[in-house]
Amino acid sequence: MAGFSGHSQSFCGAMSTDDDGYLEPAEKPLDQAQLVAMIELQLSEVDMLQSMFPGPREFVLHDPSVLVDLRDFAEGRTLLLPPRIDLVINLDVGKGQLNVSITLPHEYPAVLPEIFVRSQTLNREAQHRLNQELLGYIKSLEKCDLAIGPAVTWLQEKGETFFSDNIEEEVPLNTETESEGKDTKFARLWIYSHHIYSKVKRKDILDLSREFDLTGFCLPGKPGIICVEGMSRNTDDWWQKVRSWNWQKILVKSREIVDVTKGQDIDKLRRFPTFEELGSENNIRVKNGGFHVDMGDVFRYLENHESGYVFKEYFGVSGRPT
């Protein structure tokens, strides 16, 4: 895959970068000409990927109209920056199938793409190792070069090896006491992320929360905030999966544990009836493209769910409704 050429490469070399040589997306904003250069490169890479994967389920764009909007932006027909490109590539690597979820920040390839690989037939450890090694490979590429093509080639060459030792963990026969111990705790995790933009991640967060019988919420944007609550075993397993994805920064800010007595209805311990993504449907005013919200509304939402105290934990100031 070709990288930047001419003024694009020199611009990248002149910009200050993080420890891995990449720009930080929202903290070092690019000017209009630089954004246009990035988006033109993205569009050329998407064109190439579509030609590589012509099958109806091989290459899937979540919103094909985004390409038209990005082309209008690159050619100066609009100054309104369109949404990011979200796509999925489904790969057959011999011993199994890989589902490659990709989100391209507007500043890509000056910043890392968001890539997460999953497979229904890979166990958790093998999937985590695959994603970590793929991220390491992407970071080893020439700074500012297009990365999706090389990443797909790497998966086609290396992906099969992760299925070789893919033996599902057997549950020992003597784990009844341990299981009972884990099932007597109710947990609530308050999670902070540098940002949550990707439609793929947001959907996966919702799906995983339902899979593990967890309630709570996800607030997308910068920063991103997540709360999950449920049985401790389920919150731990959910967190292990989510933290293995490609994040700029994600951590548990606070963990609340409650002992569950025999026969106790855990639904009475929940503060949130379902797991949902916060937005206008929750009376939270959204602005600037959907990733900035009225923080007074967020504080009110937390207060309504007996959780106003965590606002200061996240933002360092006491909240107040607006």
Side-chain angles (χ1 to χ4, degrees), residues 91-143:
L91 293 177
D92 185 341
V93 292
K95 292 184 178 180
Q97 300 280 335
L98 296 178
N99 176 278
V100 188
S101 297
I102 300 165
T103 298
L104 303 182
H106 290 132
E107 301 89 344
Y108 167 81
V111 303
L112 287 171
E114 296 181 11
I115 302 181
F116 182 70
V117 183
R118 60 178 58 76
S119 173
Q120 293 183 347
T121 53
L122 272 182
N123 64 36
R124 188 173 65 199
E125 288 71 21
Q127 184 169 282
H128 175 71
R129 184 163 54 87
L130 186 157
N131 279 286
Q132 290 300 108
E133 292 189 19
L134 175 61
L135 178 60
Y137 170 72
I138 291 172
K139 288 185 174 183
S140 75
L141 299 174
E142 188 71 25
K143 307 311 178 189

Side-chain angles (χ1 to χ4, degrees), residues 27 50 162 186:
E27 294 177 3
Q50 287 177 314
F162 293 89
F186 179 89

Side-chain angles (χ1 to χ4, degrees), residues 35-59:
L35 275 174
V36 166
M38 302 303 103
I39 288 169
E40 286 177 340
L41 287 165
Q42 292 179 31
L43 291 169
S44 67
E45 185 169 42
V46 168
D47 285 344
M48 184 209 68
L49 292 169
Q50 287 177 314
S51 66
M52 288 173 59
F53 301 100
R57 295 301 302 166
E58 290 183 301
F59 181 95

Side-chain angles (χ1 to χ4, degrees), residues 182-187 212-214 229-236 260 266 270:
K182 288 187 176 181
D183 285 342
T184 60
K185 303 286 186 184
F186 179 89
F212 286 102
D213 191 29
L214 303 178
E229 57 179 8
M231 297 309 296
S232 180
R233 173 192 293 274
N234 290 344
T235 60
D236 287 349
V260 178
I266 68 163
R270 300 182 189 270

Side-chain angles (χ1 to χ4, degrees), residues 193-208:
S193 171
H194 178 271
H195 64 267
I196 303 175
Y197 296 140
S198 167
K199 293 178 182 177
V200 174
K201 281 182 181 174
R202 288 156 58 189
K203 182 180 184 301
D204 288 345
I205 287 169
L206 286 167
D207 291 344
L208 274 179

Side-chain angles (χ1 to χ4, degrees), residues 1 52-53 91 137 148-159:
M1 295 288 294
M52 288 173 59
F53 301 100
L91 293 177
Y137 170 72
I148 306 304
V152 168
T153 300
W154 185 91
L155 288 168
Q156 290 172 322
E157 294 175 351
K158 306 284 188 180

Side-chain angles (χ1 to χ4, degrees), residues 12 37 46 48 54 86 134 155 209 218 256 271 274-275 299 305:
C12 185
V46 168
M48 184 209 68
D86 280 309
L134 175 61
L155 288 168
S209 300
C218 173
E256 301 171 1
R271 296 179 186 168
T274 62
F275 190 93
F299 177 70
H305 292 84

